[in-house]
Amino acid sequence: MIRIVFFGTDTFATTILNELGSVPDIQILSVITRPDKPAGRGNKVEPPLIKKFAEQHSVPVLQFLKLKDTAIEQLRKLNADAFVVAEYGLLIPSAVLDIPPHGVLNVHPSLLPRYRGASPISSALLNGDTETGVSIMLLDAEMDHGPILAQERCAIDEHDTAPTLEAKLGRLGAALLIKTLPEWVARKMQPREQNHAQATFCKKLTRESGRIGWTQSAEYIHRMWRAYLPWPGIFTMWGEKRLKIVIASPSTGLRVDPAKQSNENRPGTPFLTPEKQLAIACGTGALIVERLQLEGKKELDAAAFLRGYPAFVDTKLD
């Protein structure tokens, strides 16, 4: 029996925890997650997804704002063989890394050293990668820097969005962890140092990450939509109002009617296609918009939106 403590927060981590729970030779002593926090329009305090899942399956949960002092003492008392981290969101200090005899294993959703950091799934989609994967690594004091125990590749489908790719990588990561953990604890594996010279990094997403630059190609903006679903989403400004593009697809063949050209910068101009679809001109091609939501209003399909805001066509978005 391998005794582990699992650190995680959201969907990716919960997928892995679910798979681990069905393995008879792995005992999950506790789930460590971040504190409950306000969420949604009403700022109602909500627990992390993994806490809800763990409590439904009678797994003890500990929540720490920081991994220090009392937290370290509680982690020591659990007497785990190894810690497992997936999408935890906080840096694990050296004092915690030193606790379990078999170290701290991290399930990272990229083929390290590519996409170290907080947004590897979104970064792979945004950059138009056709392949990604998962890495099982040993954590050290630096971010996503430790040696690799195992990796598995995963194709990115052209229709994948962040949620669908996250689900695939969660299942893949769980299967790889279940295979790797017993071999590592039995000392049958040799860690492999990463090629640090090839490391690339990705930043934590913010609300502003999804702001559209209309001089970009329609293909790139559509990749933004795929990468930033469901949060932060993609948006533009229409006057003083934030306008969220809820569902969209690219078209490389559409252009604004040359007869309507003016001295304005045409990218960012809404127009109607010959089929009466709502489109927005981009640096290359156009974005076909199916659903959108104006700040403070309900989400609408394009036809309903245009009935409510007929002056939208031929205006300028920023």
Side-chain angles (χ1 to χ4, degrees):
M1 180 70 68
I2 302 172
R3 295 160 51 88
I4 69 166
V5 172
F6 190 92
F7 294 67
T9 301
D10 215 335
T11 307
F12 180 73
T14 304
T15 298
I16 294 170
L17 181 65
N18 180 44
E19 298 294 328
L20 284 179
S22 64
V23 181
D25 293 334
I26 295 176
Q27 181 183 2
I28 303 166
L29 302 173
S30 181
V31 166
I32 313 301
T33 191
R34 299 165 74 176
D36 300 356
K37 64 179 183 180
R41 288 187 177 182
N43 278 332
K44 180 182 178 182
V45 175
E46 289 285 344
L49 178 62
I50 202 166
K51 177 183 178 181
K52 297 178 185 178
F53 179 85
E55 290 179 341
Q56 289 170 358
H57 292 80
S58 302
V59 178
V61 176
L62 293 171
Q63 292 174 277
F64 303 120
L65 185 61
K66 294 183 179 179
L67 295 174
K68 55 190 295 187
D69 303 331
T70 303
I72 292 173
E73 288 304 312
Q74 288 184 265
L75 289 170
R76 284 199 181 106
K77 289 178 182 178
L78 291 172
N79 197 28
D81 297 309
F83 293 167
V84 174
V85 177
E87 193 192 27
Y88 179 53
L90 291 178
L91 186 67
I92 310 291
S94 297
V96 173
L97 297 178
D98 293 339
I99 293 173
H102 295 283
V104 181
L105 283 69
N106 181 41
V107 187
H108 185 80
S110 83
L111 296 172
L112 291 169
R114 187 165 176 80
Y115 299 136
R116 295 178 181 177
S119 57
I121 295 173
S122 294
S123 296
L125 290 167
L126 186 65
N127 292 331
D129 294 356
T130 58
E131 183 183 65
T132 184
V134 290
S135 302
I136 310 293
M137 57 168 291
L138 292 174
L139 285 184
D140 62 14
E142 298 184 46
M143 182 179 65
D144 300 330
H145 175 276
I148 302 293
L149 295 179
Q151 290 183 313
E152 191 79 33
R153 296 181 178 275
C154 174
I156 300 177
D157 185 86
E158 63 178 342
H159 300 297
D160 269 326
T161 61
T164 64
L165 186 56
E166 181 179 54
K168 288 198 291 190
L169 291 174
R171 293 190 295 269
L172 188 65
L176 189 60
L177 177 66
I178 290 166
K179 177 183 175 182
T180 301
L181 188 58
E183 294 186 17
W184 170 245
V185 170
R187 305 189 187 279
K188 295 179 180 179
M189 303 187 76
Q190 186 66 37
R192 171 176 57 83
E193 189 74 10
Q194 293 187 44
N195 186 337
H196 303 298
Q198 294 181 357
T200 63
F201 297 86
C202 51
K203 297 179 180 179
K204 183 178 180 180
L205 299 180
T206 68
R207 195 176 185 218
E208 282 298 306
S209 299
R211 183 159 188 166
I212 299 167
W214 292 108
T215 56
Q216 296 278 6
S217 70
E219 292 284 354
Y220 181 83
I221 295 169
H222 185 245
R223 293 205 304 267
M224 287 180 63
W225 177 80
R226 294 167 60 204
Y228 298 152
L229 195 69
W231 191 90
I234 62 171
F235 73 96
T236 187
M237 299 300 295
W238 184 33
E240 299 298 318
K241 294 285 188 178
R242 182 185 177 99
L243 181 65
K244 183 176 181 181
I245 308 298
V246 180
I247 301 178
S249 58
S251 176
T252 56
L254 286 172
R255 298 290 186 272
V256 178
D257 185 349
K260 295 182 180 180
Q261 289 289 350
S262 69
N263 292 327
E264 295 180 351
N265 183 12
R266 298 312 299 184
T269 304
F271 66 100
L272 292 178
T273 72
E275 296 77 23
K276 303 303 180 183
Q277 294 174 300
L278 175 60
I280 303 172
C282 306
T284 303
L287 198 70
I288 306 296
V289 179
E290 298 177 38
R291 297 189 69 83
L292 61 173
Q293 182 178 18
L294 191 62
E295 183 179 342
K297 303 295 182 180
K298 293 191 302 182
E299 178 186 315
L300 297 171
D301 64 42
F305 182 87
L306 290 175
R307 286 195 296 270
Y309 303 96
F312 183 69
V313 172
D314 291 331
T315 57
K316 183 68 171 65
L317 304 176
D318 294 311

